[in-house]
Each structure stands twice: as structure tokens, then as C-alpha cells.
């Protein structure tokens, strides 16, 4: 349904966005979408602009002390650290009081996680 005459379009868009954000899978959908876009861009004729964006420097500083790390460094060291911290906290919460607190329900994800670590190591050793 579109926006009504008494309801501005921006209000309708904001309400739809808030509903999307409250869906648990929304973060995963955004992450998969961003990864797909990055893969397409990096392997397209415009890949040079993708590389330039990664190497762009971002000034960060307090007063006279300024650092100029690349965008790639900020994402790799900052955002990825925060991401894995949140994932670790979420896993701990699930193990303590969520669906993974039951040993029977936790067995399959545990075996899958172990397989996800062991299988690449075995493939590497085999090669």
C-alpha cells in the first residue's frame, strides 16, 4: 500500500525501515547483499575504483595528533573486531539462556562449527 494523503511519504518509508530493522535476519540480509555487491564490483571493469576506495585514507585524530589509516585497515581492524565481539557475545547469550542452552539442540551447531574449522585445515594439509 502506498502513502495516504494524510501521511507523508517519508513517514511511511521510515516506518517500513524500522520494521525491517526489527527483523532478526535483517542484518544478515544486508551483509549478504553488501558482500554480493562487493564481489561484483571487485570483479567488474570498474575494479580499479574498488581498489582505490579500499586504499583511501581516512583522517582520524584528536587535536594535533592525526593518523591517516586506509579504509581497508579501519574495516579489517576496527569493524571486524567489533563484529566478532558481538558474535561472541551473542553465542555466549545463546549458550547461557537461549536455544543453545539445551545440549541436544546445541550438538548440531557445535559439530557444524568444528567441521567448519577442521575441514579447511584438512584440505590445506592435503594440498
Amino acid at each position: 500500500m502506498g502513502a495516504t494523503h494524510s501521511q507523508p511519504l517519508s513517514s511511511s518509508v521510515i516506518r517500513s525501515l524500522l520494521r525491517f530493522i526489527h527483523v532478526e535476519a535483517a542484518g544478515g540480509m544486508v551483509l549478504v547483499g553488501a558482500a554480493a555487491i562487493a564481489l561484483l564490483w571487485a570483479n567488474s571493469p570498474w575494479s580499479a575504483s574498488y581498489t582505490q576506495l579500499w586504499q583511501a585514507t581516512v583522517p582520524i585524530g584528536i587535536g594535533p595528533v592525526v593518523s591517516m589509516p586506509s579504509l581497508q585497515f579501519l574495516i579489517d581492524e576496527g569493524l571486524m573486531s567489533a563484529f566478532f565481539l558481538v558474535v561472541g557475545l551473542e553465542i555466549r547469550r545463546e549458550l547461557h539462556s537461549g536455544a543453545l542452552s539445551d545440549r541436544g539442540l546445541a550438538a548440531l551447531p557445535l559439530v557444524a562449527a568444528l567441521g567448519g574449522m577442521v575441514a579447511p585445515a584438512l584440505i590445506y594439509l592435503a594440498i
Side-chain angles (χ1 to χ4, degrees), residues 22-23 28 42 56 64 66 90-91 93 97 110 121 124 127:
H22 284 89
V23 173
V66 177
E90 181 68 18
I91 291 171
R93 183 186 67 79
S97 60
L110 179 63
Y124 175 78
I127 292 174

Side-chain angles (χ1 to χ4, degrees), residues 96-121:
H96 185 267
S97 60
L100 299 178
S101 61
D102 177 15
R103 289 181 193 253
L105 293 175
L108 180 62
L110 179 63
V111 170
L114 289 173
M117 291 185 297
V118 172

Side-chain angles (χ1 to χ4, degrees), residues 4 18 25 31-32 35 37 65 71 81 86 91-92 97 118 126:
T4 62
L18 288 174
L31 190 60
V32 168
I37 290 169
V65 179
L71 183 60
S81 298
V86 170
I91 291 171
R92 181 169 184 220
S97 60
V118 172

Side-chain angles (χ1 to χ4, degrees), residues 43-70:
N43 293 292
S44 75
W46 304 285
S47 62
S49 64
Y50 181 81
T51 303
Q52 285 177 342
L53 177 65
W54 273 115
Q55 300 309 318
T57 57
V58 180
I60 297 177
I62 299 174
V65 179
V66 177
S67 177
M68 299 287 284
S70 69

